[in-house]
Amino acid sequence: MGLFRLLVLCTLAVSCTTTSMPLKIPSHLPFHLRGCNDTDMLAMAASVLQDINNDLKEGYVLSLNRVSAVQEHRQDGLGSLFYFTLDVLHTTCHVLSKKPWRDCEWRHLHEQVYGKCKALYYVNRPLRILYLPAYNCTLRPVSRRKIQRMCPDCPSPANLSDPKVLETATETLAKFNENSKSGQYSLVKVTRASSQWVFGPFYFVEYLIKESPCIKTEASSSGYQPTDSGPVGICRGSLRPSVDDKKIANVNCDFFQSQKNESTHSPSKDVLSGSVQYLPDLDDEESQEMDPAECPGKASMSNPILLPP
C-alpha cells in the first residue's frame, strides 16, 4: 500500500504581538530549513501537538503521525520562530479527557480521521520560553469508497441525526445507568456513529455524558445533586438484534479526570489563535495535492498508518 497523500487546503496566517515574547519577524533574517528527522525537531513537534490538544475544547485527541516540514526563523538574539507542518491522526481519546496523545490509541482504518496541523512555535532557550502563538488544523475522514474496497465488511459511518443512532445511545446509556453504582448520567451529545449489517443492523456509537439527578421513587429517595460542570465522561455503546428479535446492548464508559486543580491562567492562552476545520472525505484521488514545502525523508512517530492508495 502506498501512503495516502494528504490534502492541504489552507495556509496559516496569524499576526500576534506581545511584549514578553516578541513575534515580529525581521524581514532581513533568512529562513532555515530544519531536518524533519532531527531528534530536537521531533521532540519540539511532540510538544507543539500536545499544546494544540490542550487548547481543543471538542473532538478527539490528535496524535503525531509524522513531521512534514520545519522551518526556523531566527530573531537576532530574541529566540526563534519555528513553522511546523505535522501529519496527524485521530485517537480514541476525547480531548476533554486531557490525556497525553502518546497515551491514546490510534483508530482503526475504517474510522480514521487524518490531516495536517500548521503551527507557529516560539522558542527562547536562554529565557526558557516555549510558546505556541497560533495553529490551524485541517482534517478529513478516510474515503468511504477506499475503505469499502479494502474492507467491505467494515462498519460504515452513520448519520448522527439517524433515529437509530439516538436509540442506540439512549438504550446503551440506560443499561449503564441500571448497573451504575456511582450515580446516574444523561446524554450530552453523540460524537461518532457507524453501522454494520451482520444478520441485521448493528449500530456503534460514542457519546458524551453528564451527571444527572437520581429519579425519586416511593420506595427510595436520592440525595444526589447534579452539577453543571458539563460532560464528565464518554461512552462507547453498540446495539444489535439477536436471533429472537431482542436487542442486545453493550456499553462501557470512561470518565474524565477532574480539572478542578487546573490553572485558570496561562500566558500563552491570552493570545493563542487556533482553529480546526473538518472537511468531507475524498473519493477522487486526483484531487489530492502534496504540500510543496514537505521535507525530504520525513520523520515518523512510531509506525505510521498506511492508508489506502
Side-chain angles (χ1 to χ4, degrees):
M1 293 185 298
L3 188 63
F4 196 32
R5 295 179 298 172
L6 304 179
L7 178 66
V8 180
L9 295 183
C10 55
T11 301
L12 185 65
V14 177
S15 174
C16 297
T17 57
T18 176
T19 56
S20 59
M21 290 165 277
L23 295 176
K24 186 176 180 180
I25 303 174
S27 59
H28 66 282
L29 296 180
F31 286 90
H32 299 273
L33 185 64
R34 300 297 302 267
C36 292
N37 58 351
D38 290 353
T39 301
D40 56 340
M41 291 299 100
L42 286 175
M44 196 178 298
S47 297
V48 168
L49 189 57
Q50 188 59 53
D51 286 349
I52 291 174
N53 282 319
N54 290 341
D55 186 59
L56 297 178
K57 301 299 186 294
E58 59 181 20
Y60 291 87
V61 171
L62 300 173
S63 67
L64 183 57
N65 186 29
R66 62 181 183 177
V67 178
S68 291
V70 189
Q71 294 184 74
E72 180 182 4
H73 202 292
R74 296 169 186 168
Q75 297 190 296
D76 280 341
L78 297 177
S80 294
L81 267 179
F82 290 86
Y83 296 74
F84 279 92
T85 301
L86 309 176
D87 292 354
V88 296
L89 298 164
H90 259 187
T91 69
T92 58
C93 299
H94 197 276
V95 296
L96 295 181
S97 70
K98 298 300 181 183
K99 289 184 178 180
W101 65 265
R102 292 182 183 274
D103 295 342
C104 299
E105 295 182 1
W106 283 353
R107 291 187 174 273
H108 296 297
L109 176 63
H110 66 269
E111 58 182 12
Q112 187 56 261
V113 174
Y114 68 97
K116 287 185 182 291
C117 287
K118 292 178 178 286
L120 292 175
Y121 200 58
Y122 176 76
V123 177
N124 190 320
R125 289 187 174 88
L127 296 181
R128 298 182 179 181
I129 296 174
L130 302 175
Y131 168 53
L132 176 74
Y135 68 89
N136 176 275
C137 299
T138 304
L139 308 172
R140 67 168 74 249
V142 175
S143 165
R144 296 187 190 184
R145 177 176 61 84
K146 296 181 184 298
I147 292 174
Q148 291 172 357
R149 187 176 66 190
M150 294 185 62
C151 181
D153 295 328
C154 285
S156 300
N159 192 325
L160 298 185
S161 61
D162 186 337
K164 291 292 185 180
V165 169
L166 181 59
E167 177 187 357
T168 302
T170 302
E171 294 198 21
T172 55
L173 181 55
K175 180 177 180 178
F176 180 81
N177 280 330
E178 182 181 349
N179 299 319
S180 174
K181 297 180 181 180
S182 59
Q184 296 292 290
Y185 303 91
S186 58
L187 177 66
V188 176
K189 71 173 182 178
V190 178
T191 56
R192 290 184 64 95
S194 59
S195 64
Q196 183 181 31
W197 186 271
V198 184
F199 47 83
F202 201 142
Y203 283 86
F204 306 87
V205 294
E206 296 181 20
Y207 51 89
L208 297 173
I209 58 172
K210 65 179 180 179
E211 294 175 335
S212 178
C214 293
I215 299 176
K216 295 183 179 181
T217 65
E218 294 181 359
S220 63
S221 61
S222 170
Y224 174 79
Q225 296 296 324
T227 65
D228 296 326
S229 59
V232 296
I234 187 167
C235 296
R236 297 169 178 85
S238 64
L239 191 66
R240 65 180 176 87
S242 64
V243 292
D244 55 0
D245 293 332
K246 292 183 179 179
K247 295 177 182 178
I248 300 177
N250 291 292
V251 61
N252 64 80
C253 298
D254 295 321
F255 290 89
F256 305 143
Q257 294 182 356
S258 174
Q259 304 300 317
K260 292 181 180 180
N261 295 326
E262 186 178 4
S263 174
T264 57
H265 176 75
S266 173
S268 64
K269 293 280 186 179
D270 294 341
V271 292
L272 175 59
S273 174
S275 65
V276 177
Q277 181 183 16
Y278 285 89
L279 303 174
D281 63 59
L282 283 174
D283 285 328
D284 183 5
E285 187 178 358
E286 297 300 322
S287 67
Q288 300 172 55
E289 300 174 359
M290 293 293 289
D291 190 330
E294 287 183 339
C295 293
K298 302 181 190 71
S300 170
M301 300 297 290
S302 184
N303 295 317
I305 286 182
L306 294 180
L307 300 178

